[in-house]
Amino acid sequence: SLIRIYFSKSDPKSVGFCRSSQSWRQISNSASMLHSADVAYVGDLRDDKIHDSFNIHEDEITDANERYTNIVTVKTTGPAGLGVVASRSFSPGDNVVSAKVLDGDYPNGAHSIQVDWDKHIFMDLPARVINHSCDPNLVIQNNDAGAYDFIAVKEIKEGEELFLDYETTEYEVNAFEVCMCGTERCRGSIGGFKKHGDEIKSLYGQHIADYLK
């Protein structure tokens, strides 16, 4: 699906995107935005100002899907955009995805993940586009590559989307506050481990980021 990216000419740091003409989500701290109905790109922002989280090219998706053939597939899963879907069934304890680090000193952003108190990284696909749920079918474990392994925590059937609870890695989440995962266990908000730490420890035990233990 088409991602419409909007840039403000007056404020190049103001960046937002949407997947339809009816809605858009701002992902910067600025309130200065351009609105448009059916265009893919607006404004004169230089290429080097485009955040890397938008820079997911088809060849990167193809490469990930080839590496994980018959394991998982990166694909559009709904209005939120890309997600990861199981290409076969998994049992609890199975290591589904092992992430590698593409950038070990990455700014906190839409597709970064936190591995230490002051350290975010940029992972490879498919891990980077695993979506959030308050009732996930994956949990995390720090791996030797400096990133995370994503392990099945329940039975996963072929064709099911894979989910992670973002509060198991992120101490504080500021990009969005309201959770819309729609599960019975939904906490209603995503504030990070800082907000729900006791509950997160109770739910996941040792399957949280090492720095949060």
Side-chain angles (χ1 to χ4, degrees):
S1 63
L2 178 66
I3 299 176
R4 301 186 179 109
I5 304 175
Y6 298 89
F7 301 98
S8 168
K9 292 181 180 180
S10 60
D11 181 5
K13 293 183 179 179
S14 177
V15 183
F17 73 92
C18 75
R19 290 186 178 274
S20 73
S21 58
Q22 280 73 42
S23 65
W24 57 271
R25 178 164 72 88
Q26 183 177 334
I27 63 165
S28 73
N29 293 324
S30 173
S32 174
M33 299 295 305
L34 291 177
H35 295 70
S36 185
D38 292 302
V39 292
Y41 183 87
V42 176
D44 56 1
L45 190 67
R46 300 193 313 272
D47 286 345
D48 61 359
K49 292 289 185 180
I50 299 175
H51 195 281
D52 284 345
S53 61
F54 288 114
N55 206 16
I56 301 176
H57 297 294
E58 286 297 326
D59 56 355
E60 187 180 7
I61 295 172
T62 299
D63 174 71
N65 287 341
E66 288 177 351
R67 286 186 287 112
Y68 280 84
T69 298
N70 298 322
I71 303 173
V72 301
T73 303
V74 176
K75 60 188 293 187
T76 299
T77 56
L82 291 174
V84 184
V85 174
S87 300
R88 63 173 179 85
S89 61
F90 295 94
S91 298
D94 287 347
N95 189 350
V96 181
V97 171
S98 291
K100 296 181 179 179
V101 179
L102 297 182
D103 188 333
D105 187 18
Y106 200 74
N108 185 4
H111 284 161
S112 69
I113 194 166
Q114 192 167 2
V115 295
D116 210 337
W117 292 108
D118 298 309
K119 184 179 180 66
H120 286 75
I121 62 172
F122 192 64
M123 299 184 299
D124 62 349
L125 294 183
R128 193 164 80 243
V129 291
I130 295 173
N131 288 314
H132 168 81
S133 173
C134 295
D135 188 12
N137 47 20
L138 298 177
V139 291
I140 57 99
Q141 179 176 293
N142 288 71
N143 65 24
D144 293 338
Y148 294 110
D149 289 338
F150 296 80
I151 300 165
V153 72
K154 59 180 71 172
E155 294 289 341
I156 301 173
K157 296 179 181 179
E158 180 180 349
E160 285 188 26
E161 184 173 358
L162 305 178
F163 293 101
L164 171 73
D165 191 329
Y166 287 176
E167 293 190 323
T168 60
T169 63
E170 308 304 303
Y171 180 68
E172 192 168 8
V173 177
N174 295 315
F176 48 91
E177 187 170 336
V178 178
C179 180
M180 296 184 291
C181 71
T183 65
E184 291 184 3
R185 213 166 78 181
C186 182
R187 294 186 292 274
S189 64
I190 309 175
F193 191 85
K194 179 180 180 180
K195 184 174 183 178
H196 297 120
D198 289 342
E199 183 177 358
I200 295 300
K201 282 185 176 180
S202 176
L203 287 170
Y204 304 109
Q206 292 298 303
H207 287 294
I208 61 175
D210 281 351
Y211 82 96
L212 294 173
K213 295 176 181 178

